Amino acid sequence: MGRAPNFGPVGIIDIGSNSVRLVAYAGSERVPSALYNEKVMAGLGRTTGEDGELSEEAMAAALDTLKRFRPIIKEMGLIRVRAVATAAVRDAPNGDEFLRQVRKLGLKPRILSGVEEATMAARGVLSGIPWAKGVVADLGGGSLELAGVARGAVGEGVSMPLGVLKVGPEPDREKLLADIEAGIAGTRLHSAAKGNTLYLVGGSFRALAQLEMELIEHPLPIAHEYRLHADQLGPLGDYVEVSKKREIKEYDRVSNQRIPHLPAAIAILETLIEVLEPKKVIVSAYGLREGLLYADLDERVRGQDPLMAAAFEIGHKLGRFGDHGALLDRWIAPLFPGDPAKLARLRRAACLLADIAWNAHPDFRAERALDLATHGNWVGINARGRAILGRALFIAFGGDPSTPSPYDALMKDGDAERAHHWGRAIRLAQRFSAGTAKPLRKSELSLEDGKIVMSLAKRREALYSPAVEKRHHQLADAMGMEADLRLD
């Protein structure tokens, strides 16, 4: 993977039914990082009157927010800003008048149709989960969008006026069922979802996941790619109903502004599961805004693995002597011929990140590497993958393999041992090569008759110092083998 030019900074203004938000992005073109993220709960869709018009109060709050965003955009030096408006503005009789006032501020907002909104949310999911197969459900304040996804493409989409603001705090379950069934009638969304995955987008759905993770004391409460326990939605709804708002507020990761909408989100999700019959329910942190960025990419960039792209970017920024993570992976790969493709991918990511903690205090490099691996802003990886990646880098930076990790419970049988072996191999490579590329190109590792053989030219024998020999033996011992040096 070659070094890509810097991306951005660019901005997206999302004028939604619940919030008005500015997000600035830069970094990797394939997986841009959020430089800045600010939202105000203007409630454009919350205070519509009987005639469906946006209230003066809500429009004023939104316009004041957008006035603030203008100088921020200038000071940040954003080279491009895209402003979009969704259901509340789209449906309101005075939505055009509101947009005229927005344009007077120097912004050029575009109203997304319901189908466009569904499509962009689905593209956002594909950006973060390229192998997604099933249906994306994007729940906002004013509407619910559904779109099919499979093989990296977006299928048909629909939009329904079933946002949390419209459903309200006391959902009518029978009406919800009828509305969703009517909304997908004549589409292939049921067949797309049945037995596959329902991907959840939107702040209210993420709040559900964050509340569930808090209640079960999940060791790594990161919402992206979290699998919701669908059979626990009933008890979760009971808890929300009987608990005091103050009690839920004690959970730091659950936004206070989302708490009033939890009953609606639970009712909508339970109904979607009943109608669509998915096998799994997965939360996506990527949605509409990331979909807008993803839509601008050419096919070559879209085809990049998002985890590899992000690991390459961070590895380049934090590494000492240039980009050779892929070379490092090729050097240790002969020791792990049995790694299935999904795990070999994680091993490659670990190699791309093999230099990320060198500038921490020597006594805390292992802990620093573990933290960066498990809590990094990665996509294309779930909690198990983060735990494996963290374990490998913890060992690579000298961590004690007998030290328990809070993330051990996230791994499956054999994962910790495999990550231990990867970490030992990376640690050997980094000591042997001094973190540079050329020694790796001029040598190789192999498995032969129960031995881990390092082969290099006789004239390079000095590179095999006592410290390198020690790490060679540590790796061999960990894998139940012998260490052997071969000089050609």
Side-chain angles (χ1 to χ4, degrees):
M1 181 181 292
R3 172 83 181 140
N6 287 334
F7 168 75
V10 301
I12 292 180
I13 294 175
D14 182 357
I15 305 171
S17 301
N18 219 357
S19 64
V20 176
R21 184 189 299 259
L22 166 66
V23 186
Y25 297 91
S28 165
E29 187 179 19
R30 177 62 181 85
V31 191
S33 298
L35 295 178
Y36 185 74
N37 188 332
E38 180 178 335
K39 71 175 179 180
V40 172
M41 304 298 278
L44 285 170
R46 184 172 59 245
T47 55
T48 53
E50 292 183 3
D51 56 4
E53 291 198 342
L54 306 173
S55 74
E56 293 296 329
E57 179 185 7
M59 287 193 293
L63 290 168
D64 285 345
T65 299
L66 294 170
K67 286 177 185 176
R68 168 177 159 74
F69 288 168
R70 286 294 294 157
I72 290 174
I73 289 168
K74 183 177 180 180
E75 290 302 315
M76 287 182 177
L78 303 186
I79 61 176
R80 185 177 73 250
V81 177
R82 180 180 298 181
V84 295
T86 55
V89 178
R90 181 170 69 230
D91 298 339
N94 61 341
D96 288 341
E97 173 57 32
F98 170 71
L99 290 183
R100 276 193 288 272
Q101 296 181 57
V102 174
R103 292 188 188 100
K104 289 180 181 178
L105 301 176
L107 299 171
K108 299 178 181 179
R110 183 169 79 88
I111 296 180
L112 296 179
S113 71
V115 171
E116 285 177 319
E117 193 174 348
T119 299
M120 289 302 173
R123 283 179 174 168
V125 170
L126 288 174
S127 177
I129 312 174
W131 51 85
K133 182 179 181 182
V135 167
V136 172
D138 181 9
L139 178 61
S143 62
L144 169 68
E145 279 72 42
L146 303 177
V149 287
R151 296 183 294 278
V154 180
E156 61 187 326
V158 299
S159 179
M160 294 170 271
L162 298 175
V164 292
L165 297 176
K166 295 194 174 182
V167 170
E170 298 181 1
D172 183 334
R173 296 295 186 114
E174 291 186 5
K175 186 176 185 305
L176 258 181
L177 179 62
D179 287 346
I180 291 176
E181 287 180 335
I184 69 167
T187 73
R188 292 175 290 181
L189 288 169
H190 175 261
S191 61
K194 186 174 182 180
N196 291 312
T197 302
L198 179 64
Y199 299 93
L200 306 182
V201 171
S204 294
F205 279 152
R206 283 196 300 276
L208 275 184
Q210 287 157 341
L211 178 57
E212 180 179 282
M213 286 189 282
E214 291 280 9
L215 291 173
I216 67 173
E217 298 182 346
H218 193 282
L220 191 58
I222 293 174
H224 186 69
E225 285 206 49
Y226 176 72
R227 182 174 178 176
L228 266 171
H229 296 81
D231 59 345
Q232 293 300 307
L233 284 174
L236 187 62
D238 293 340
Y239 169 78
V240 170
E241 184 176 351
V242 302
S243 67
K244 296 178 181 179
K245 186 176 181 180
R246 186 188 314 165
E247 182 180 341
I248 300 178
K249 279 185 175 181
E250 293 176 0
Y251 298 118
D252 294 338
R253 292 184 176 86
V254 182
S255 169
N256 294 339
Q257 296 165 322
R258 300 290 182 187
I259 294 173
H261 308 310
L262 290 174
I266 291 171
I268 292 167
L269 180 52
E270 286 186 317
T271 307
L272 284 173
I273 292 170
E274 180 181 350
V275 173
L276 296 176
E277 302 180 278
K279 181 180 179 181
K280 295 186 293 185
V281 179
I282 301 290
V283 177
S284 172
Y286 276 24
L288 171 67
R289 292 179 294 276
E290 291 75 20
L292 290 167
L293 296 176
Y294 187 66
D296 290 338
L297 301 179
D298 61 39
E299 290 299 323
R300 177 190 60 81
V301 179
R302 282 190 201 176
Q304 294 175 3
D305 183 322
L307 176 61
M308 296 301 109
F312 179 84
E313 178 74 14
I314 298 302
H316 173 82
K317 286 182 177 179
L318 299 183
R320 295 168 291 175
F321 304 119
D323 309 318
H324 61 275
L327 172 63
L328 196 161
D329 182 53
R330 289 196 298 272
W331 197 74
I332 70 172
L335 305 186
F336 309 106
D339 283 351
K342 289 183 178 180
L343 290 175
R345 173 177 176 265
L346 292 178
R347 188 190 69 224
R348 186 179 180 91
C351 289
L352 290 169
L353 297 171
D355 220 15
I356 58 172
W358 67 270
N359 60 349
H361 187 282
D363 292 344
F364 297 99
R365 285 174 182 164
E367 289 77 7
R368 174 65 171 158
L370 174 64
D371 180 62
L372 288 171
T374 52
H375 295 96
N377 189 28
W378 319 119
V379 290
I381 187 171
N382 59 16
R384 177 195 173 200
R386 287 173 180 268
I388 295 172
L389 187 60
R391 191 66 173 172
L393 289 174
F394 178 77
I395 300 299
F397 279 92
D400 184 346
S402 65
T403 302
S405 164
Y407 315 119
D408 288 347
L410 299 172
M411 293 189 282
K412 295 182 178 179
D413 289 345
D415 286 348
E417 182 181 41
R418 190 188 302 267
H420 178 194
H421 297 167
W422 294 348
R424 288 290 188 195
I426 292 170
R427 189 164 172 78
L428 167 62
Q430 293 291 73
R431 173 59 70 192
F432 169 68
S433 68
T436 64
K438 189 173 181 180
L440 300 180
R441 293 194 183 99
K442 299 296 183 178
S443 61
E444 63 179 32
L445 287 183
S446 60
L447 290 180
E448 297 181 23
D449 300 324
K451 296 179 180 179
I452 296 178
V453 179
M454 180 185 290
S455 300
L456 65 156
K458 175 69 175 175
R459 66 181 183 278
R460 300 183 185 276
E461 183 179 6
L463 289 174
Y464 194 79
S465 67
V468 173
E469 181 181 14
K470 178 181 178 180
R471 292 193 182 182
H472 189 181
H473 280 273
Q474 287 174 335
L475 170 61
D477 290 344
M479 296 182 67
M481 297 184 181
E482 296 180 10
D484 188 23
L485 173 66
R486 180 174 298 164
L487 300 174
D488 300 325

